[in-house]
């Protein structure tokens, strides 16, 4: 039986999948290759880049006009800035891939010859030159995980490819595709050999184009889920399909992970006579978030980067981005953390990421919280909002200021402490949803616990700003109207100097 894929490239024999070559403009790719272009393919992690490259290699080799080889360069990451080690690993990977994929046995011998005659700074150039001169069809090289390379090793790779560029297609590959998470312009190469960081564009100025592999659209999400129905007879209700789309906005790994969790890991859904409902999808979402699966954990790890913090912190605080460089903003789009809405503004890429980011940031304060007795519950186990508010105020007076130091983002430290407290409240028996956006001036929280829904508006009174009470009440009123509630909380954190 096939299943939804959440690890590595797709395989038609064991995975549900969309034909990889339908996910990009194949005619454009072929035309670039015909024109002897060197170009980039980039997209966030686990969106299908490798699957597309492997499918393209197979297509080109079956067509017969070219000899195409796919090579993963990640093995050279451990060499870091040891260029000799790094280039030896890269050339070894190319030799191995050529042998396994197209039966080319000569590269290992050429690799050793060039290692001695050309040295580290010319070994790749020599290998590709010799291979191109001794093959009947022009070569197409598909290099994956290029941005995993570090410092001088990456510079050496890019410059040796650039040095051989004018020899194509007779004495160098006709076309080379560099593939990674980031666009070349986002490369900041810190090398011991250079006084200042080098940008990818300056090290590889022969790039013709940067192509980005997009997420699934709604039709593609529906088609992928239908693969499971065709295989097993188990259907997704229309509401479930719509919820998968809404939660993921087509991010390929999330689509597959939600569907796998709902169809294969939830015991009640393994009965194929039972439909997959919106409840199954929501339960799958909570599982993925709470268990910080690898994909989401890697995403959260990016929050430590300063160029990420410069964008995410004001977004969570609802303030403007000020002078954040365009490269930093685009970097987050390329990582898949953000996307541009129809107006061109930046928003979190999908609701699952919107939930993961503040939850990851609140994990420090949450782990630091002292034991809190659940005095906010009634005798029947239902939530008592008034008692919850009293408990929080007592908690804040006792522990608020010390806990602020455990929050990684200073500007939203109070928000993170409050969210950490509320996560202890829901503790798997409820949910805490968040809404935030650049320039909104607030963060909205919706706590759901049993039959109780509580809308919370968070505002910050900063230095030299007017009292946010009036604006906060208006914003809370609008938020509660959207939730269908008559009352809620407005919490204002006073961050002006001199406050007790």
């Amino acid at each position: 039986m096939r299943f939804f894929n959440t690890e590595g490239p797709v395989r038609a024999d064991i995975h549900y999948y969309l034909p990889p070559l339908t996910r990009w403009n194949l005619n454009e790719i072929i035309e670039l290759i015909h024109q002897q272009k060197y170009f980039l393919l980039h997209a966030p992690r686990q969106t299908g880049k490798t699957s597309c490259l492997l499918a393209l290699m197979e297509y080109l080799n079956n067509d017969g006009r070219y000899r195409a080889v796919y090579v993963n360069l990640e093995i050279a990451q451990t060499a870091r800035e040891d260029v000799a080690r790094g280039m030896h690993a890269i050339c070894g990977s190319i030799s191995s891939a050529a042998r396994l994929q197209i039966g080319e046995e000569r590269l290992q011998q050429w690799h050793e010859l060039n290692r001695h005659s050309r040295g580290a700074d010319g070994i790749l150039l020599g290998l590709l030159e010799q291979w191109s001169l001794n093959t009947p069809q022009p070569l197409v090289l598909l290099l994956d995980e290029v941005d995993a390379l570090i410092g001088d090793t990456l510079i050496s790779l890019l410059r040796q490819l650039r040095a051989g560029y004018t020899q194509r297609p007779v004495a160098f590959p006709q076309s080379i595709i560099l593939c990674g998470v980031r666009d070349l312009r986002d490369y900041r190469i810190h090398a011991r050999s250079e006084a200042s960081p080098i940008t990818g564009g300056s090290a590889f100025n022969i790039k013709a184009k940067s192509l980005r592999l997009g997420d699934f659209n709604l039709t593609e999400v529906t088609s992928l889920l239908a693969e499971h129905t065709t295989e097993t007879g188990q259907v997704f209700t229309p509401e479930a399909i719509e919820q998968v789309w809404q939660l993921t906005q087509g991010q390929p790994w999330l689509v597959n992970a939600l569907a796998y969790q709902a169809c294969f890991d939830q015991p009640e859904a393994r009965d194929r006579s039972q439909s997959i409902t919106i409840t199954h999808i929501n339960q799958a979402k909570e599982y993925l978030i709470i268990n910080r699966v690898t994909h989401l954990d890697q995403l959260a790890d990016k929050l430590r980067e300063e160029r990420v913090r410069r964008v995410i912190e004001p977004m969570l605080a609802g303030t403007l981005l000020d002078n954040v460089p365009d490269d930093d903003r685009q970097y987050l789009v390329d990582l898949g953390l953000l996307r541009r809405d129809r107006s061109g503004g930046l928003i979190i890429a999908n609701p699952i990421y919107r939930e993961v980011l503040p939850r990851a940031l609140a994990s420090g304060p949450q782990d630091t919280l002292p034991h809190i007795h659940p005095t906010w519950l009634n005798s029947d186990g239902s939530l008592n909002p008034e008692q919850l508010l009293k408990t929080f105020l007592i908690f804040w007076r006792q522990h608020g200021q010390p806990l602020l130091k455990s929050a990684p983002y200073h500007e939203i430290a109070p928000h993170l402490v409050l969210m950490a407290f509320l996560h202890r409240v829901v503790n798997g028996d409820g949910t805490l949803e968040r809404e935030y956006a650049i320039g909104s001036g607030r963060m909205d929280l919706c706590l759901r616990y049993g039959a109780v829904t509580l809308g919370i508006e968070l505002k910050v009174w900063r230095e030299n700003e007017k009292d946010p009470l009036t604006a906060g009440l208006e914003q809370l009123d609008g938020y509660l109207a959207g939730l269908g509630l008559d009352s809620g909380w407005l919490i204002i954190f006073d961050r002006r100097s001199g406050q007790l």
Side-chain angles (χ1 to χ4, degrees):
M1 177 184 292
R2 296 188 301 158
F3 53 89
F4 293 99
N5 178 35
T6 57
E7 305 95 13
V10 295
R11 286 178 45 189
D13 58 331
I14 61 174
H15 297 142
Y16 304 136
Y17 75 106
L18 300 174
L21 294 183
T22 66
R23 297 197 52 212
W24 57 11
N25 187 335
L26 182 59
N27 290 332
E28 179 184 22
I29 300 289
I30 299 303
E31 186 62 25
L32 288 169
I33 292 172
H34 288 345
Q35 294 175 356
Q36 303 178 22
K37 302 291 189 182
Y38 286 17
F39 57 101
L40 272 81
L41 173 68
H42 69 100
R45 291 201 178 282
Q46 298 177 298
T47 53
K49 300 184 299 297
T50 300
S51 297
C52 287
L53 290 178
L54 291 171
L56 177 62
M57 178 191 70
E58 183 178 5
Y59 175 89
L60 292 173
N61 286 328
N62 288 339
D63 181 67
R65 283 177 288 181
Y66 305 104
R67 302 191 83 185
V69 172
Y70 164 87
V71 187
N72 187 313
L73 303 183
E74 194 170 18
I75 189 174
Q77 185 182 50
T78 57
R80 302 190 71 80
E81 295 201 74
D82 186 335
V83 175
R85 275 185 59 206
M87 299 315 298
H88 177 59
I90 289 170
C91 291
S93 293
I94 293 173
S95 301
S96 177
R99 184 180 72 255
L100 294 173
Q101 294 166 10
I102 60 173
E104 176 58 81
E105 300 283 354
R106 297 171 293 177
L107 265 68
Q108 185 60 44
Q109 180 182 0
W110 292 337
H111 170 204
E112 292 300 328
L113 289 173
N114 281 286
R115 186 179 181 185
H116 296 291
S117 63
R118 299 277 190 130
D121 294 323
I123 184 174
L124 176 62
L125 174 65
L127 178 65
L128 297 183
E129 177 185 302
Q130 196 162 3
W131 186 14
S132 299
L133 287 169
N134 289 278
T135 190
Q137 298 98 358
L139 293 175
V140 176
L141 205 54
L142 314 176
L143 301 181
D144 202 359
E145 300 288 355
V146 171
D147 54 352
L149 304 181
I150 294 169
D152 285 326
T153 300
L154 176 54
I155 292 173
S156 182
L157 170 78
L158 296 176
R159 287 182 171 162
Q160 289 189 60
L161 295 181
R162 187 174 67 179
Y165 179 74
T166 55
Q167 301 169 192
R168 75 194 196 293
V170 175
F172 218 64
Q174 159 128 353
S175 183
I176 294 178
I177 303 178
L178 305 181
C179 184
V181 171
R182 296 168 292 160
D183 193 352
L184 191 66
R185 65 169 175 262
D186 288 327
Y187 290 15
R188 298 290 184 273
I189 309 172
H190 298 269
R192 287 197 299 260
S193 62
E194 304 291 338
S196 59
I198 295 176
T199 62
S202 65
F204 195 71
N205 58 8
I206 55 174
K207 176 200 72 172
K209 206 165 191 176
S210 286
L211 305 178
R212 190 181 193 278
L213 186 64
D215 293 332
F216 297 154
N217 58 36
L218 177 57
T219 300
E220 290 172 326
V221 170
T222 304
S223 296
L224 181 66
L225 299 180
E227 292 261 303
H228 177 72
T229 302
T230 300
E231 184 99 357
T232 67
Q234 186 174 45
V235 301
F236 288 79
T237 66
E239 294 79 13
I241 295 172
E242 177 64 22
Q243 186 70 343
V244 171
W245 166 250
Q246 290 298 334
L247 290 174
T248 66
Q249 293 298 297
Q251 203 287 336
W253 186 89
L254 290 178
V255 173
N256 278 279
L258 279 180
Y260 185 91
Q261 178 65 26
C263 297
F264 292 91
D265 275 356
Q266 294 182 23
E268 66 276 10
R270 293 176 189 158
D271 179 355
R272 301 308 182 199
S273 67
Q274 301 296 313
S275 297
I276 300 298
T277 68
I278 191 172
T279 299
H280 294 121
I281 299 303
N282 287 335
Q283 289 172 346
K285 178 206 73 169
E286 286 299 308
Y287 175 86
L288 295 180
I289 293 174
I290 291 172
N291 287 275
R292 286 281 291 274
V293 290
T294 302
H295 174 90
L296 299 180
D297 202 41
Q298 291 174 340
L299 192 77
D301 185 63
K302 289 293 181 183
L303 296 170
R304 302 176 186 177
E305 296 184 17
E306 177 60 24
R307 63 194 307 201
V308 173
R309 187 199 63 78
R310 284 197 292 264
V311 177
I312 296 299
E313 186 171 33
M315 179 173 280
L316 287 166
T319 57
L320 299 176
L321 295 184
D322 295 328
N323 296 318
V324 176
D326 177 65
D327 284 353
D328 287 354
R329 301 194 301 271
Q330 188 59 44
Y331 174 61
L332 268 73
V333 173
D334 288 343
L335 287 177
L337 276 169
L338 304 182
R339 63 181 173 88
R340 298 191 182 276
D341 62 16
R342 293 180 180 177
S343 68
L346 287 175
I347 59 175
I348 301 296
N350 55 65
I352 292 180
Y353 289 178
R354 189 171 64 227
E355 177 75 14
V356 166
L357 299 185
R359 189 178 291 204
L361 290 169
S363 63
Q366 188 172 345
D367 289 343
T368 312
L369 288 180
H371 174 74
I372 309 170
H373 186 69
T375 56
W376 50 81
L377 296 179
N378 296 315
S379 58
D380 61 357
S382 61
L383 182 70
N384 185 323
E386 292 184 5
Q387 187 58 43
L388 177 61
L389 180 58
K390 293 178 181 178
T391 304
F392 173 69
L393 291 175
I394 294 171
F395 160 82
W396 181 263
R397 293 187 184 105
Q398 291 180 344
H399 307 290
Q401 289 301 320
L403 283 170
L404 292 178
K405 299 176 182 178
S406 66
Y409 285 11
H410 174 74
E411 283 296 311
I412 57 168
H415 306 61
L416 299 177
V417 173
L418 172 60
M419 285 188 284
F421 174 85
L422 294 177
H423 276 302
R424 285 283 183 92
V425 172
V426 298
N427 195 29
D429 294 319
T431 61
L432 184 64
E433 303 160 10
R434 302 156 180 84
E435 294 288 342
Y436 49 90
I438 294 171
S440 65
R442 87 267 194 179
M443 177 187 285
D444 300 328
L445 303 178
C446 179
L447 188 151
R448 303 182 190 274
Y449 194 101
V452 175
T453 299
L454 177 61
I456 306 170
E457 186 88 15
L458 305 186
K459 300 282 287 182
V460 176
W461 192 350
R462 295 183 174 86
E463 204 75 50
N464 301 320
E465 292 183 357
K466 65 179 182 180
D467 187 341
L469 177 61
T470 301
L473 289 172
E474 292 177 357
Q475 291 168 337
L476 176 62
D477 186 59
Y479 183 50
L480 294 177
L483 294 173
L485 301 175
D486 296 324
S487 62
W489 295 359
L490 170 62
I491 297 179
I492 298 175
F493 295 107
D494 194 340
R495 303 303 303 275
R496 296 174 298 162
S497 59
Q499 303 303 306
L500 296 178

